[in-house]
Amino acid sequence: MQFSSRRRKLIANPQTELYGHCLQFYGQPPLENISLTEFETFAVERLKLLKTVENLGVSYVKSSEQYTKKLYTEFSNLNFPHKTEADDRKPQSGPSEYEKRRKDHISHFILRLAYCQTEDLRRWFIQQEVDLFRYRFNDLYPKYKSEFMHQNNLHYDTISVEEKKALSDKLVNSNYTVTGITVEDQDFYKVPFQDALDLVRTRKVYLKAGYVYIPHQDIVTIVLNDFRTRLSKALALTARSLPAVQSDERLQPLLSHLSHAYVGQDYSIQKSIGKISLEQIDQLSGKSFPLCMRQLHQSLRENHHLRHGGRMQYGLFLKGIGLTLDQALQFWRSEFTKGKVDADKFDKAYAYSIRHMFGKEGKRTDYTPYSCMKVILSNPPSQGDYHGCPFRHSDPELLKQKLQSYKVSPSGINQILDLVKGMHYQLACQKYFELTHNIEDAGFSLNHPNQYFMESQKLLGGGKEMKREVDVPQKGQETSAAKASTVARETSANPSHDLLEITEELDAFFQDS
């Protein structure tokens, strides 16, 4: 994958100015060649990191001990740069610091391409990147904070010792973390108040004649403001040039899926196939189905019919929890024939699509259940539809009535509606899980309706039976990754490879999105 022909300029010396610091404003795009495999891997791993940032930001107070500890673990697992290392020597195991910084740089620009396409995507991407930047900047030693600011031409005027002494009482009274001793020991910056509106809003700084006096420990606020402004402008520019990038037949399928890609467990290969009976589905829907599937099941029982979007979403979910093809055909036939569809019409009009989702018709793709991101972002329901995410697509008042009918407590409903108002739909579903299972903390980040079902069964059944299924090595995920690598290699080796075949294989790879 060619970003530019000027590759030597970037990698002539590992200690290039571009990667001279573990943190950057991403002002200069990458200039080297990478493979499609590396392109996809970097993008998915940064997306995992940003998803973690989002989940932790709602579950914990930002910058709290639990927040920083869990985020540090994710940094280590995904091999992204954290604190500045003393040098660039290769560690005993894993990538070097230079390799981590390179990955951080390239992956950011890849996700810019995927998340510049709509206002919602841009807003989400900016928020997660800003939170990520805040964590990394706050964790730097003071020496490296100053170094970073100098390298990026962030020059803020420090007040003189005389002025600091004259304003000492005002500075101490303006911020509870500042004392007479700390006033003497740290620098204070005098900046226009509009550059530090967050601090002004929370009354954490001294304001005088249109300027605020910011202690060095709070300088992150104006650095973040600068980062947010730059990133917002950069995304707008990227969106303008996106058509040229999308014309590349190798990138277009990847970018079109990345914005709602699911990066968790692959539910296409299950040990639970055949373990549930049709008679159990009604009972399971009330105990272990997420709200989206419970809604679809209830609608199917009441109307004896679901439109295509609902059949796909619910049918693949049932496949994922253990329904066999024969059971699925029996289940859908028995329900549809209770309504306006006779057995002959069912066999002609509906049986094919059920066999297709099990990989027995068409291109024989073994489709996987929809993830939360796919349910939320693709194919919104219209009038008469029941698919989609109730937390994303339902009117708040109707959602409130539905939760009341399911015996969710008033305080619990308010918590869920607050999360919905903040557009944290998966966290709202996780809160629904906690409330309906009478637990304080689910102990997992919810990304998939089938994950909800498995965690529920594990909790209700004591964890033994379902524990084996959850702990099964993620063979499906490895298989999918191998398939993506194969596609990338074939594409790289043979650019004239039939586009339709490539797109179908990539679609199959991303079906768990």
Side-chain angles (χ1 to χ4, degrees), residues 393-460:
H393 298 119
S394 293
D395 177 81
E397 190 57 39
L398 294 177
L399 176 61
K400 181 178 180 180
Q401 293 174 16
K402 188 179 295 289
L403 293 171
Q404 288 172 337
S405 70
Y406 292 153
K407 310 300 182 186
V408 178
S409 66
S411 62
I413 291 174
N414 289 334
Q415 292 178 63
I416 290 173
L417 293 178
D418 285 343
L419 289 168
V420 168
K421 187 177 180 180
M423 297 189 294
H424 303 296
Y425 309 117
Q426 290 166 243
L427 292 168
C429 190
Q430 188 165 316
K431 176 58 66 175
Y432 172 76
F433 180 97
E434 293 166 355
L435 293 167
T436 53
H437 289 77
N438 295 315
I439 57 174
E440 289 293 327
D441 184 1
F444 62 89
S445 294
L446 184 63
N447 292 303
H448 204 292
N450 290 76
Q451 177 194 13
Y452 183 109
F453 176 82
M454 292 175 69
E455 293 291 346
S456 173
Q457 286 293 289
K458 185 168 66 172
L459 193 65
L460 297 175

Side-chain angles (χ1 to χ4, degrees), residues 80-188:
F80 279 94
H82 186 231
K83 288 187 176 180
T84 300
E85 301 294 331
D87 56 35
D88 192 49
R89 288 177 299 191
K90 179 85 173 180
Q92 292 183 349
S93 62
S96 68
E97 182 66 15
Y98 173 81
E99 290 167 336
K100 291 179 181 179
R101 294 178 188 181
R102 172 179 172 271
K103 173 182 174 180
D104 172 55
H105 182 222
I106 294 174
S107 65
H108 170 86
F109 276 90
I110 295 172
L111 288 195
R112 271 194 193 181
L113 294 174
Y115 281 81
C116 70
Q117 301 176 48
T118 69
E119 183 61 35
D120 285 344
L121 291 176
R122 287 193 291 271
R123 189 186 303 116
W124 182 88
F125 181 69
I126 289 171
Q127 185 59 56
Q128 309 324 315
E129 285 285 347
V130 166
D131 286 345
L132 180 62
F133 186 94
R134 179 192 291 109
Y135 163 73
R136 294 171 68 183
F137 187 87
N138 282 336
D139 217 39
L140 291 175
Y141 297 117
K143 169 189 171 184
Y144 295 123
K145 288 181 181 178
S146 300
E147 197 176 275
F148 172 81
M149 291 165 62
H150 176 74
Q151 288 179 359
N152 289 276
N153 298 315
L154 301 177
H155 302 302
Y156 305 115
D157 295 330
T158 56
I159 62 176
S160 64
V161 175
E162 292 75 18
E163 188 176 6
K164 187 160 54 172
K165 285 183 179 179
L167 297 174
S168 179
D169 290 342
K170 302 286 188 182
L171 298 176
V172 170
N173 292 332
S174 67
N175 193 317
Y176 68 89
T177 62
V178 176
T179 64
I181 297 175
T182 57
V183 165
E184 296 179 8
D185 291 343
Q186 67 177 316
D187 290 329
F188 279 76

Side-chain angles (χ1 to χ4, degrees), residues 232-285:
S232 181
K233 290 179 180 178
L235 284 172
L237 290 173
T238 305
R240 237 181 274 170
S241 59
L242 193 61
V245 179
Q246 290 179 327
S247 65
D248 189 322
E249 61 189 38
R250 300 165 300 168
L251 289 182
Q252 198 278 333
L254 283 169
L255 293 177
S256 66
H257 288 91
L258 269 175
S259 60
H260 55 271
Y262 169 64
V263 291
Q265 181 176 339
D266 184 353
Y267 289 94
S268 61
I269 299 176
Q270 286 291 319
K271 295 292 184 181
S272 55
I273 291 296
K275 283 191 175 180
I276 68 168
S277 65
L278 298 181
E279 291 74 23
Q280 290 178 289
I281 294 178
D282 284 331
Q283 183 182 14
L284 289 171
S285 70

Side-chain angles (χ1 to χ4, degrees), residues 480-497:
S480 296
K483 183 186 288 186
S485 300
T486 302
V487 173
R489 285 196 301 271
E490 290 176 357
T491 307
S492 180
N494 184 10
S496 60
H497 193 283

Side-chain angles (χ1 to χ4, degrees), residues 267-447:
Y267 289 94
S268 61
I269 299 176
Q270 286 291 319
K271 295 292 184 181
S272 55
I273 291 296
K275 283 191 175 180
I276 68 168
S277 65
L278 298 181
E279 291 74 23
Q280 290 178 289
I281 294 178
D282 284 331
Q283 183 182 14
L284 289 171
S285 70
K287 290 184 176 180
S288 296
F289 281 17
L291 191 58
C292 57
M293 301 305 169
R294 190 173 182 179
Q295 173 178 280
L296 283 165
H297 181 76
Q298 183 176 343
S299 173
L300 178 63
R301 289 302 198 204
E302 291 175 355
N303 304 318
H304 311 299
H305 188 269
L306 283 176
R307 291 181 177 177
H308 177 73
R311 294 198 304 274
M312 285 297 292
Q313 182 176 322
Y314 189 41
L316 289 172
F317 170 80
L318 292 175
K319 173 189 173 185
I321 68 172
L323 227 60
T324 64
L325 173 57
D326 289 340
Q327 285 178 312
L329 286 167
Q330 182 183 343
F331 172 76
W332 290 101
R333 181 184 288 109
S334 66
E335 198 58 51
F336 271 46
T337 52
K338 293 177 182 176
K340 299 178 181 180
V341 178
D342 59 34
D344 186 53
K345 183 178 179 181
F346 177 87
D347 290 337
K348 290 179 179 178
Y350 299 101
Y352 176 89
S353 64
I354 296 170
R355 291 195 299 271
H356 187 272
M357 73 174 67
F358 276 81
K360 303 302 181 183
E361 300 286 357
K363 60 182 179 179
R364 310 279 173 172
T365 299
D366 188 19
Y367 292 99
T368 56
Y370 291 174
S371 70
C372 291
M373 286 299 285
K374 187 174 181 74
V375 171
I376 290 169
L377 292 177
S378 62
N379 190 25
S382 56
Q383 188 173 2
D385 287 327
Y386 294 92
H387 65 272
C389 171
F391 302 105
R392 168 66 179 88
H393 298 119
S394 293
D395 177 81
E397 190 57 39
L398 294 177
L399 176 61
K400 181 178 180 180
Q401 293 174 16
K402 188 179 295 289
L403 293 171
Q404 288 172 337
S405 70
Y406 292 153
K407 310 300 182 186
V408 178
S409 66
S411 62
I413 291 174
N414 289 334
Q415 292 178 63
I416 290 173
L417 293 178
D418 285 343
L419 289 168
V420 168
K421 187 177 180 180
M423 297 189 294
H424 303 296
Y425 309 117
Q426 290 166 243
L427 292 168
C429 190
Q430 188 165 316
K431 176 58 66 175
Y432 172 76
F433 180 97
E434 293 166 355
L435 293 167
T436 53
H437 289 77
N438 295 315
I439 57 174
E440 289 293 327
D441 184 1
F444 62 89
S445 294
L446 184 63
N447 292 303

